[in-house]
Amino acid sequence: MRLAAGTFTVLAGIPFVNTGTIIAVDGATTITGQSLFDNQGLIDLQDGATGDVLTIDSDFAGSGDSTLAVDFSGTAADMLVIDGAASGSTAVDAVFVGGGLINLHGVVVVDTVSTAANAFLLGAVTGGSPPVDVSLVQEGSDFFLVSTPNASLF
């Protein structure tokens, strides 16, 4: 399902289950109305540029093949905002789209109200093969892509 920028309202008060692919690459999009967003599929924010934001207006649970696909650079990234608690397990697949290599503080890719430890884990990192090591770091309830120099730079 491809979402345009704006708000997509689902049936109120029941869980919304994604077992396929949700594409949100047109800027800022919100999914609202559900009691829980149960992600078992792909949330795709990748379009070759950073800056896409998908807001989930409920708690979020990742299970099965739950994956978040984002674009990132050394200074910016696509972002999933969860206006609730995050739980379960979701892989974050990231494509480096250029624009700075090293960012020891990271760029935020998941912003939650609260989160279980390891609710998001680093999946595949592709694009341009920069000479850096990329990790996904949890700070409080948020997750950041951090890039540090690897041995090939020295």
Side-chain angles (χ1 to χ4, degrees), residues 17-41:
V17 180
N18 174 39
T19 57
T21 299
I22 293 176
I23 301 169
V25 295
D26 293 328
T29 304
T30 299
I31 300 176
T32 190
Q34 68 280 354
S35 62
L36 169 72
F37 189 95
D38 181 3
N39 192 53
Q40 301 172 22

Side-chain angles (χ1 to χ4, degrees), residues 54-90:
L54 175 61
T55 299
I56 304 295
D57 193 20
S58 68
D59 290 343
F60 176 97
S63 63
D65 292 328
S66 182
T67 304
L68 170 65
V70 297
D71 297 307
F72 80 103
S73 70
T75 58
D78 296 325
M79 183 169 44
L80 176 64
V81 177
I82 301 169
D83 287 338
S87 62
S89 181
T90 298

Side-chain angles (χ1 to χ4, degrees), residues 61-119:
S63 63
D65 292 328
S66 182
T67 304
L68 170 65
V70 297
D71 297 307
F72 80 103
S73 70
T75 58
D78 296 325
M79 183 169 44
L80 176 64
V81 177
I82 301 169
D83 287 338
S87 62
S89 181
T90 298
V92 177
D93 290 348
V95 173
F96 179 74
V97 295
L101 289 176
I102 298 171
N103 188 330
L104 302 177
H105 300 290
V107 291
V108 67
V109 291
V110 180
D111 177 14
T112 73
V113 172
S114 65
T115 189
N118 298 316

Side-chain angles (χ1 to χ4, degrees), residues 1-5 22-29 43-54 69-71 78:
M1 169 173 54
R2 184 178 176 120
L3 299 176
I22 293 176
I23 301 169
V25 295
D26 293 328
T29 304
I43 297 173
D44 187 357
L45 305 180
Q46 292 177 342
D47 61 356
T50 61
D52 297 308
V53 178
L54 175 61
V70 297
D71 297 307
D78 296 325

